[in-house]
Amino acid sequence: MSVRFEIFTADLDPLVAFYTQVLDFALVRDERAAPVGYVALERDAVRIGAAYRGEPIDPSARHPPTGIEVVLEVDDLQAEHDRVVAHGWPIEEPLQDRPWGLADFRILDPGGHYLRITGR
């Protein structure tokens, strides 16, 4: 099994920059110039589709407890954290050990989607 999900945003450009530069996803489909813009991003077995929606959404409605928490599991959590910090991206919750035995940190993407980056 793998995971594929779609997110919606009022501006695809910063979303593409974030996922390709900060989180090291590859842009595998780019239809930003289409009447209804769409992009696909991929890293390992994770594929994210992002579609343009003209109406901005309140970012607070996108993360827990009302929205969704996207959990991205990585092999080298410290390297992921270092990459995010090196790009100057804001950290919502710092890197820390959790009571359930894993470590993680949390960030928001440019569209306000709540991401938990965790070790396996």
Side-chain angles (χ1 to χ4, degrees), residues 86-107:
H87 279 90
W89 199 260
I91 305 289
E92 292 294 308
E93 289 189 40
L95 180 61
Q96 59 188 291
D97 292 325
R98 299 293 180 169
W100 50 87
L102 295 173
D104 65 46
F105 66 98
R106 287 108 191 273
I107 58 178

Side-chain angles (χ1 to χ4, degrees), residues 75-93:
D75 290 326
D76 189 340
L77 182 59
Q78 187 64 55
E80 294 295 325
H81 183 266
D82 292 348
R83 179 183 10 255
V84 171
V85 169
H87 279 90
W89 199 260
I91 305 289
E92 292 294 308
E93 289 189 40

Side-chain angles (χ1 to χ4, degrees), residues 3-4 9 12-13 18 27-29 33 36 41 43 45 67 76 79 85 89 94-95 103 115 118-119:
V3 66
R4 178 180 176 161
T9 185
L12 287 167
D13 293 333
F18 168 78
L27 179 63
V28 295
R29 183 172 161 194
V36 178
L41 302 133
R43 179 172 168 188
D76 189 340
V85 169
W89 199 260
L95 180 61
L115 308 176
T118 188

Side-chain angles (χ1 to χ4, degrees), residues 20-41:
T20 59
Q21 296 169 16
V22 179
L23 293 186
D24 204 29
F25 276 73
L27 179 63
V28 295
R29 183 172 161 194
D30 190 348
E31 297 176 8
R32 283 179 275 185
V36 178
Y38 181 84
V39 297
L41 302 133

